Amino acid sequence: MATRGAILAAAAEEFAARSYHEASLSRILERSKVTKGALYFHFVSKESIALAVVDEMERLCRGMVERCAALGLDPLRTAAQVAREMQDALAGPEVRAGQRLCGEGLAGPSRPGWPFAFWQEVFTDLFVRAGTAGLLVPAVDARAFARTIVDVSAGAFIASLAISELTDLAQRVCENWELLLGAAADPAWLDAWRADGGMAAVLGPHLGPMPIDGGGWVPER
Amino acid sequence: MATRGAILAAAAEEFAARSYHEASLSRILERSKVTKGALYFHFVSKESIALAVVDEMERLCRGMVERCAALGLDPLRTAAQVAREMQDALAGPEVRAGQRLCGEGLAGPSRPGWPFAFWQEVFTDLFVRAGTAGLLVPAVDARAFARTIVDVSAGAFIASLAISELTDLAQRVCENWELLLGAAADPAWLDAWRADGGMAAVLGPHLGPMPIDGGGWVPER
């Protein structure tokens, strides 16, 4: 199991740094410091290692959602917390690699539409409950709002990865959520949320406050 | 030139349907009906074909932006028109393949951050002019709003590709723009825009009205 873990840790680093087709088994071997024989004892191919990395991401994402739900926040604050923790997790190689592999079509047949289908379900559930609790503007459809959140979150990751190697991800997540909550959340909820500092004040488990450098804005309403 | 065109057309079909690493030169050969010798006369590798497909996408995107600018619409309507034409173009294999290849990191060294950096510039320019013309809510920062539009557009493409093979892309684009314009556009502009039918009434050059099936919503303000 220690060998398997070392291979997966090295593979996460490799798949986070390079596209699947650029990633190389020999670099994974070198990083993991295991022998070729040991690697082929645990995995039959580069693809089977990639699938195991996505398994690990799935486990981390499900754990993240459960942990946020257990905080006892209202559904909209829970949604923002999930987004913040996901952005935080993308600083580490496991989720970053899994996300990238999924984007390259390597989620495997047991996860159709991953990670989009998973996050669509998570956010639809939260926004339906937010709507029932009167936390959304009545015209907002929970499922459509969840789709927009999934789109903007997926896009923030790939755009930030391509443009800035994820250094501007925190700012993108912050601005996107401020704009979208500003459009969709109930005014009274929004006032309380902003009085607490808004998205920039939502902290992930590992990082301090978001490194917003000016550019951010909070729409008035 | 006809041979090169036949290879590129076949390559666009292949790269639109499969990830780069799954795409095969032999399928491209078969589809293009050219000989292996002819293919290697024009291209040295799968990667060089992929780069030529992205070149073609760049040409199409720049043409699209120029054509939309020439319509003489205000900057916000021009932005919506660009988004609608892009969504329309993604129905064909050329842009779809180029976009997918860029997402897999195959834009080539001459296009850093493509297509995100390109669209960021296009939309920032439009939103700066929209702000100057008083078409945006004063609190909205043009560059930040452009980032959100780039994120949501990129995410809509990859999420729709993964979940529905792009069949729900029109609906996603429509809902995302309605929500985001609802948050960022000046109320008077928004009233006129909605009186004209909003995003669903913006037509691309090839398609009829967007096939929205219920789910859509127009936020009140």
Side-chain angles (χ1 to χ4, degrees):
Chain A
M1 283 313 281
T3 307
R4 191 173 187 277
I7 296 166
L8 282 182
E13 297 272 0
E14 178 72 2
F15 290 127
R18 292 183 178 76
S19 68
Y20 176 79
H21 83 275
E22 289 169 324
S24 90
L25 268 183
S26 54
R27 259 193 306 262
I28 293 173
L29 261 182
E30 206 175 296
R31 256 202 196 114
S32 67
K33 300 193 178 13
V34 307
T35 64
K36 206 171 196 170
L39 186 140
Y40 282 108
F41 174 77
H42 288 281
F43 298 101
V44 298
S45 62
K46 184 162 100 170
E47 190 171 356
S48 68
I49 301 180
L51 277 176
V53 169
V54 182
D55 286 346
E56 179 62 11
M57 176 186 70
E58 177 170 350
R59 205 183 57 76
L60 288 168
C61 289
R62 291 188 186 277
M64 192 186 301
V65 172
E66 277 171 31
R67 192 171 58 245
C68 291
L71 294 176
L73 303 168
D74 73 50
L76 275 192
R77 284 177 186 253
T78 304
Q81 185 69 35
V82 168
R84 185 67 178 82
E85 298 212 7
M86 186 62 185
Q87 174 251 308
D88 194 346
L90 285 165
E94 294 86 0
V95 174
R96 192 167 163 176
Q99 199 82 357
R100 188 165 185 164
L101 287 166
C102 284
E104 295 172 25
L106 288 140
S110 70
R111 275 177 289 244
W114 250 76
F116 312 106
F118 172 75
W119 291 115
Q120 175 69 38
E121 256 184 72
V122 167
F123 285 114
T124 298
D125 173 58
L126 288 166
F127 296 149
V128 164
R129 288 195 285 124
T132 305
L135 308 183
L136 293 179
V137 172
V140 169
D141 176 78
R143 181 162 292 275
F145 187 45
R147 264 196 297 271
T148 299
I149 287 290
V150 167
D151 288 354
V152 87
S153 304
F157 173 67
I158 60 164
S160 179
L161 185 65
I163 288 176
S164 77
E165 282 290 327
L166 298 185
T167 55
D168 74 352
L169 183 61
Q171 184 173 358
R172 283 179 180 264
V173 169
C174 195
E175 288 171 354
N176 290 341
W177 278 77
E178 287 294 348
L179 178 58
L180 290 166
L181 286 175
D186 176 72
W189 182 91
L190 214 49
D191 286 346
W193 157 262
R194 286 182 180 155
D196 289 344
M199 194 66 186
V202 177
L203 299 185
H206 307 116
L207 303 175
M210 286 208 203
I212 305 300
D213 63 341
W217 61 278
V218 177
E220 319 224 330
R221 75 180 287 157
Chain B
M1 282 312 282
T3 306
R4 191 173 189 277
I7 297 166
L8 283 181
E13 296 272 1
E14 178 72 1
F15 291 126
R18 292 182 177 74
S19 69
Y20 177 79
H21 84 275
E22 289 169 324
S24 91
L25 269 184
S26 55
R27 256 193 307 261
I28 293 174
L29 262 182
E30 205 175 296
R31 257 202 195 113
S32 67
K33 301 193 176 15
V34 307
T35 64
K36 206 170 195 171
L39 186 140
Y40 281 109
F41 175 78
H42 289 281
F43 298 101
V44 299
S45 62
K46 184 163 101 172
E47 191 171 358
S48 68
I49 301 179
L51 276 175
V53 168
V54 182
D55 286 346
E56 179 60 13
M57 175 186 70
E58 178 171 349
R59 206 183 57 76
L60 289 169
C61 289
R62 291 188 186 278
M64 193 186 300
V65 171
E66 278 170 32
R67 192 171 57 245
C68 291
L71 293 176
L73 303 167
D74 73 50
L76 275 193
R77 284 177 187 254
T78 304
Q81 185 70 35
V82 168
R84 186 66 178 84
E85 297 212 7
M86 187 61 184
Q87 174 251 309
D88 194 347
L90 286 165
E94 294 87 1
V95 174
R96 191 168 164 178
Q99 199 83 358
R100 188 164 186 166
L101 286 166
C102 285
E104 294 171 27
L106 287 140
S110 70
R111 275 177 289 245
W114 251 76
F116 312 106
F118 171 75
W119 292 116
Q120 175 69 37
E121 257 183 71
V122 168
F123 285 114
T124 298
D125 173 59
L126 288 167
F127 296 149
V128 164
R129 290 196 282 124
T132 306
L135 308 184
L136 293 179
V137 173
V140 169
D141 176 78
R143 181 163 292 276
F145 186 45
R147 264 197 297 271
T148 299
I149 286 290
V150 167
D151 288 355
V152 87
S153 304
F157 173 67
I158 60 165
S160 178
L161 185 64
I163 288 177
S164 77
E165 282 290 327
L166 298 184
T167 54
D168 75 353
L169 183 61
Q171 184 174 359
R172 284 179 179 263
V173 169
C174 194
E175 287 171 354
N176 290 341
W177 278 78
E178 287 294 347
L179 178 58
L180 289 166
L181 286 175
D186 175 71
W189 182 91
L190 214 49
D191 286 344
W193 156 263
R194 287 182 180 156
D196 289 346
M199 194 66 185
V202 177
L203 299 186
H206 307 118
L207 302 177
M210 286 210 202
I212 305 301
D213 63 342
W217 61 278
V218 177
E220 319 224 331
R221 75 180 287 156

